[in-house]
Amino acid sequence: MLETADSEVDARGLRCPMPLLKAKRALNALAPGQALAVLATDSGSVRDFAVFCEQSGHELLFSEERDGVYRYLLRKV
């Protein structure tokens, strides 16, 4: 997943809403079509990223949880 990303946000250890806020800031710096990888440990981020992508139009390409770390791959529209 990370090798396909143009940028990465490591939000492990941060609580809601910080993972999403850091991701939004990173997406603002990307060009349309570029991808952002996000690592988070906050279980609330699952819902946050799904709703954010639905509302913003950005694509949630990948989402998984492994060993307490949530991994996301988003594409900027």
Side-chain angles (χ1 to χ4, degrees), residues 9 11 14-28 36 38 48-49 52:
V9 167
L14 300 178
R15 299 186 55 127
C16 182
M18 291 310 296
L20 184 58
L21 293 176
K22 286 186 166 284
K24 285 180 180 181
R25 183 178 297 149
L27 280 169
N28 286 338
L36 173 68
V38 181
D48 291 345
F49 280 99
F52 169 70

